[in-house]
Amino acid sequence: MHHPIRIRALRLGLAACLLAGALAGLASANAPTYETTILFTHDTHDHFLPMPDEEGGEYGGYTRLATLIQQERAAHPDALVLDAGDFSMGSLFQTIYATEAPELRALGAMGYDATTLGNHEFDYRARGLAEMLNAAVESGDPVPPIVQANYKPPAEDVDTWAAWNRYGIGDYLILERGGVRYGIFGLMGEEADSNAPMSGMEFEPIADAAERTVAALEEAGADFIICLSHSGTGDSLASSEDEELAKAVDGIDVIVSGHTHSTLAEPLVVNDTYIVSSGPYCQNLGSLTFSWDDGGEKRLLDYRLIPIDETVAENPEIAAATHCHLPHPR
């Protein structure tokens, strides 16, 4: 014989489970979703002006990059514009790197939200970097924040630290846009450090610095974490520092990967971290768009490498400023 109280209890328990499931589904359906667009470059190497290519066309140039950034921001008003380092050394503009800081001033004029330092930013050693940072501040022009978490002057290098602090270089920044708190930090890879043997900087392993910085960003309430890594990718995991980084450290949503001049036609996905590269010398503007929710689940909506070529009109303001600061060979 069935006991009526037990049957009622079972029915009530089943009803409670169904109701909880329905409420969870409703909460999930009503959970806020966000859309994030990241526009990115790396290893632009002083390519202020278009250059001829092997097919008779042209590639690159900040003067055309600025046009594409404006167009993409018109379509995605909350887009972030980020760079992963080596913005200097590659054309005659490098001759005024330390005295005029044209690269940072150009990135500022184009509206970049952040950049990091590559190994070529140390080609004139720590003293040249310090002079460039001071020149950027003294210009009075807009310049982008620089983030760098694992590559810093030694304590006794007071001149470089003074310029570092005057510019405001930090491990990371929190950027609020479109209702989202973005955490953005920068790293220098081991191989990149080896390519700057006279930098005078102190190097902390990137995984150690990333773990520490991701924890600080999460503590600060970052919703979405982006690493600007001048480390790069390679043919295998063992030679691909940014893939190793993503595998070793949880919580990084996107790595903008510079240094190895990689051009990734599709993002690499490691440990739920998307690794992207757009190629060197201003050849492309990278564009990455996700939708994601509070649970952190990302859905890739769009990934493009937009060619910067002769089909893109030059931005007249950047073109005028560029020609105004053209260095003269000595």
Side-chain angles (χ1 to χ4, degrees):
M1 179 173 129
H2 298 296
H3 198 292
I5 294 178
R6 289 179 181 170
I7 291 173
R8 278 200 301 273
L10 286 170
R11 287 174 177 168
L12 286 171
L14 179 60
C17 286
L18 290 172
L19 179 60
L23 289 173
L26 182 62
S28 177
N30 292 331
T33 58
Y34 306 92
E35 187 170 296
T36 289
T37 294
I38 301 168
L39 307 174
F40 60 91
T41 56
H42 55 88
D43 300 288
T44 55
H45 288 295
D46 267 329
H47 275 56
F48 282 72
L49 300 172
M51 299 288 289
D53 64 24
E54 294 178 356
E55 285 74 43
E58 293 182 333
Y59 73 91
Y62 285 170
T63 55
R64 289 172 172 162
L65 172 60
T67 297
L68 288 181
I69 290 173
Q70 282 186 341
Q71 291 174 355
E72 292 298 310
R73 272 190 153 158
H76 303 279
D78 293 326
L80 307 179
V81 185
L82 305 173
D83 180 80
D86 269 7
F87 45 76
S88 62
M89 308 301 153
S91 76
L92 277 175
F93 282 91
Q94 71 191 40
T95 62
I96 57 172
Y97 166 82
T99 56
E100 300 292 331
E103 301 89 352
L104 286 177
R105 293 163 69 185
L107 295 182
M110 290 187 285
Y112 272 74
D113 293 300
T115 187
T116 192
L117 299 173
N119 52 286
H120 281 288
E121 272 69 79
F122 296 91
D123 280 6
Y124 295 142
R125 307 188 184 189
R127 179 177 178 178
L129 174 73
E131 290 173 350
M132 184 272 292
L133 294 173
N134 284 326
V137 173
E138 289 164 6
S139 74
D141 291 342
V143 289
I146 296 174
V147 287
Q148 177 47 254
N150 76 314
Y151 205 62
K152 299 178 182 179
E156 61 271 19
D157 187 352
V158 294
D159 290 339
T160 304
W161 269 117
W164 196 274
N165 292 327
R166 184 184 184 194
Y167 189 95
I169 299 176
D171 288 8
Y172 64 83
L173 65 87
I174 298 284
L175 176 63
E176 294 193 31
R177 185 165 296 164
V180 176
R181 288 171 60 84
Y182 293 98
I184 303 168
F185 71 105
L187 295 174
M188 176 80 78
E190 184 175 352
E191 208 240 0
D193 169 49
S194 74
N195 289 347
M198 305 300 288
S199 72
M201 298 292 111
E202 294 184 343
F203 177 83
E204 177 186 3
I206 60 174
D208 295 345
E211 284 186 355
R212 168 176 53 77
T213 309
V214 167
L217 286 167
E218 290 175 343
E219 180 69 21
D223 303 309
F224 196 97
I225 295 178
I226 303 166
C227 176
L228 306 180
S229 179
H230 201 76
S231 305
T233 55
D235 295 332
S236 66
L237 184 60
S239 65
S240 191
E241 289 189 62
D242 281 325
E243 288 185 87
E244 290 181 325
L245 171 64
K247 186 178 179 181
V249 180
D250 295 334
I252 304 173
D253 291 293
V254 172
I255 297 174
V256 179
S257 176
H259 179 59
T260 51
H261 291 198
S262 301
T263 304
L264 296 177
E266 297 292 339
L268 301 174
V269 185
V270 179
N271 192 20
D272 200 34
T273 298
Y274 283 70
I275 303 170
V276 297
S277 295
S278 58
Y281 309 128
C282 256
Q283 292 173 346
N284 302 295
L285 172 64
S287 176
L288 175 72
T289 300
F290 290 113
S291 67
W292 53 281
D293 57 31
D294 284 334
E297 183 175 349
K298 296 186 287 291
R299 179 169 167 255
L300 183 62
L301 299 179
D302 183 49
Y303 179 74
R304 291 173 294 143
L305 302 182
I306 308 167
I308 304 170
D309 59 22
E310 67 276 6
T311 66
V312 180
E314 290 192 281
N315 178 286
E317 294 179 2
I318 300 297
T322 296
H323 288 287
C324 212
H325 290 91
L326 270 173
H328 296 286
R330 296 175 183 175

